[in-house]
Amino acid sequence: MENEKPGSNAKLDQLQNDTIDNSNEKLTTNQGLKINNNQDSLKAGDRAPTLLEDFILREKITHFDHERIPERIVHARGSGAHGVFKLTKNFEKYTKAKFLNDIGKETPVFVRFSTVAGSRGSTDLARDVRGFAIKFYTEEGNYDLVANNIPVFFIQDAMKFPDLVHAVKPEPDHEIPQASSAHNTFWDFISLMPESTHMIMWLMSDRAIPRSYRMMEGFGVHSFKFINSDGAVHFVKFHFKPKLGVHSVAWPEAQKISGNDPDFHRRDLWEAIDNGAFPEWDFGVQIIPEENEHDFDFDLLDPTKLIPEELVPVEIIGTLTLNKNPDNFFAETEQIAFHPGHLVPGIDFSNDPLLQGRLFSYTDTQLSRLGSPNFHEIPINRSITTVHNNQRDGHMRQQITKGKVNYEPNSIGGGCPYQAMMKEGGFASQEEGISGHKIRARSESFVEHYSQAKLFYNSQSEPEKTHLQNALIFELSKVTIPEIRERMVGQLAFVDKNLAQSVADKIGVEVKTLLQPNQSIPADTDSSALQSEESEGKITSSEALSMKNTVKDTIESRVIGFMMTGGVNASATDELKKELENKGAVVQIISENTSPVIASDGQQFIPDHSLSTTSSVCFDALYVCPGDESVNGLIKSGNLNMTVDFINETYRHCKAIYFGDGSEPIISLSDIAKKKHTDPAIITYKDSDTHQRFIAAIANHRAWEFEKERNGLV
Ligand code: HDD
């Protein structure tokens, strides 16, 4: 791979001082005493009780007894990496944030991806929102963009966050189910919360089962504000667009991956970085001048709404690259503490009521999770600028600040540390004019909940719509209370009548639109209504919302299974292997067991997997390697069912398959023989341009448009 290992960056240099290398060192206690025997406790004699004075045993066990900290209340399951953010466009015009001012400037980052609902040990492939939290270690202090892979949220006000999370987490009486929204309490809540409808469309789409963390978009969700050095204010929405495109797995695969490799996303991120295939995203912004705040038919402060890119294009201003795995999961990924309130001058909040509540929640949660107000001193959380203030003390204080002065104003310390003027980089909140009554209420501009849910649904391709519909059927089939199913279908009718009807038909309820307080009778959701909206100039479909329109020109880091046994044709196999690897793909050999495979010319291939230790769902594409003897070996092996199942599953999940020379006997045993396949992602050695066709089909990710055909549904 072309990418080189990361050069030094200010954060990695700082972390270096806290990193210990045990190689060639002697074992010690935590006090630095060299240990002579790490096998046996100190006893009063042979077969006698252990002595209380064994301080080495006591220290070891005491540390062990306290090695767990509370997991995050949400986003407990995650994985992270170091990287760098490079500015590609000078943005001084809009913000005085220094890391967004000098073109070419590089800022160290740490990014943590996560699922929301599951516990720390849960599967990566749960249907869920993914967290995409970025800590920028800037020269002006840490800036945290605590984002998700979905651009909208379930609720409009932080007051409802504990209710949402309680509803989606395992039910409180029996703590079931783990990492799944497919249960009564979640859908009970959602069916009573019309404002969640737009988010539900995203959550039931394939966006909620990504192929990889590296193939997800990131969104800041809320409107934030940029402020330039003249004080001019613009609203801003943040976007990360993956250079590998946005791709997902199919739901039946997600469930199988959860059993086969619950660390699928973790492993994928780790291995890609380890192999030098550094994940990259374009960082983009949607900019809205402050005076245009009310130009939209939704409220910019409403986090259940996105700004269609047709209205405000995304301007790309930088690149985010992840280029180094952590040295220690706990010290870095587990202890990193994000907070949307970690700001730098030039960036400010909007009055989005969800964001406002978050500003309290994150520091508060760190106090119970990390146990001390000094969590900012943990190496991964430490700013690269030195911290100067009058705070001292507290659990686990690390910094030793000199002198008698821990108050301000003071004369003894010469008045230091001084507050900074704005021109010296002092942070000042936007002086926003506000007048009004103190009220506990929702703005009227927040009451419309369905138009963007419709926009999302109508922007999906047919296969995406089918997946979304099937996801709703799956989830609601797990709901055992008919009234909840019915209420939910009633909500769907506000989005699309056909969608509601087809879900209703499969879960045994009728479509009745039940009006909630604040709801009005739905506008017609059929195609004639859409046409009339279009003719009024409304946006009824947005390209950026469908994964169909994503990048499909690279096979970098895709995992291709090469299936073979003894007698395989080595030269043809090697030729394709090299071609794929040159384009950045990862080739893994699968055989009946993990003993070396002896090719027809005597060359050896070392299998990465045996058929029983892996599954088709762990690969992006399959090559049945050429050679009569190898193919017949696969057929004659005791693993014939596994081989054929592997091929059939790859086929059903719409992946590219390339059958090498001599594969007819195995094709004839598979589902492919029973169908007149027409899609270009099934390639046999008899076709022309086989390598190019295979590469194009892998880059295309999946032949979703042939899903019905491949599954025998047409
Ligand atoms: Fe949150 C963690 C993203 C609403 C309260 N949130 C957390 C993480 C992400 C998000 C990515 C994991 C950070 C990590 O990797 O350590 N949260 C969001 C987004 C939201 C959102 C994009 C809405 C747009 N969150 C939200 C609300 C509240 C919280 C409304 C509370 C009022 N979130 C938390 C938290 C967590 C958290 C309880 C758990 C662990 C942590 O903060 O550090 O405070």
Side-chain angles (χ1 to χ4, degrees), residues 56-88:
I56 297 177
L57 173 75
R58 282 202 332 266
E59 183 197 81
K60 187 172 177 181
I61 289 189
T62 304
H63 193 277
F64 170 77
D65 288 345
H66 297 266
E67 277 172 4
R68 291 289 166 271
I69 59 171
E71 65 176 31
R72 288 167 174 83
I73 185 86
V74 282
H75 295 267
R77 169 80 179 172
S79 207
H82 292 274
V84 67
F85 170 72
K86 186 168 181 181
L87 192 70
T88 51

Side-chain angles (χ1 to χ4, degrees), residues 129-260:
V129 184
R130 298 298 185 286
F132 193 136
I134 305 133
K135 193 178 282 292
F136 297 83
Y137 301 96
T138 87
E139 63 186 274
E140 298 179 289
N142 291 344
Y143 170 58
D144 291 356
L145 184 45
V146 197
N148 278 345
N149 75 328
I150 290 179
V152 290
F153 204 65
F154 293 94
I155 49 171
Q156 296 175 319
D157 193 302
M159 190 65 143
K160 299 310 297 168
F161 191 69
D163 297 306
L164 165 73
V165 175
H166 287 172
V168 73
K169 284 271 184 179
E171 297 181 3
D173 49 354
H174 47 30
E175 217 189 25
I176 299 173
Q178 179 55 245
S180 169
S181 52
H183 59 108
N184 285 341
T185 57
F186 177 70
W187 288 101
D188 185 22
F189 176 78
I190 293 296
S191 66
L192 295 165
M193 292 288 288
E195 71 201 56
S196 301
T197 313
H198 185 194
M199 180 68 168
I200 287 301
M201 290 294 113
W202 286 82
L203 186 67
M204 293 300 112
S205 81
D206 291 347
R207 299 262 183 167
I209 39 172
R211 157 65 181 86
S212 157
Y213 286 142
R214 303 172 296 120
M215 299 172 200
M216 310 189 305
E217 281 180 283
F219 302 94
V221 182
H222 314 280
S223 298
F224 290 87
K225 287 177 179 175
F226 269 165
I227 306 175
N228 71 12
S229 52
D230 297 328
V233 175
H234 289 81
F235 286 94
V236 57
K237 292 258 190 189
F238 295 114
H239 295 250
F240 291 90
K241 292 182 181 276
K243 297 228 173 147
L244 296 177
V246 189
H247 304 289
S248 289
V249 300
W251 178 236
E253 280 180 280
Q255 294 176 81
K256 285 204 166 169
I257 296 171
S258 292
N260 206 278

Side-chain angles (χ1 to χ4, degrees), residues 685-698:
Y685 68 97
K686 290 181 186 158
D687 296 319
S688 55
D689 293 333
T690 47
H691 288 199
Q692 292 326 309
R693 283 187 53 188
F694 190 43
I695 288 165
I698 301 167

Side-chain angles (χ1 to χ4, degrees), residues 299-331:
D299 196 324
L300 280 191
L301 304 185
D302 175 355
T304 66
K305 305 293 185 301
L306 51 83
I307 308 180
E309 293 187 26
E310 286 75 6
L311 291 182
V312 182
V314 174
E315 199 175 340
I316 302 300
I317 65 168
T319 312
L320 172 73
T321 307
L322 299 183
N323 56 17
K324 186 185 173 300
N325 280 316
D327 287 312
N328 183 271
F329 184 91
F330 184 87

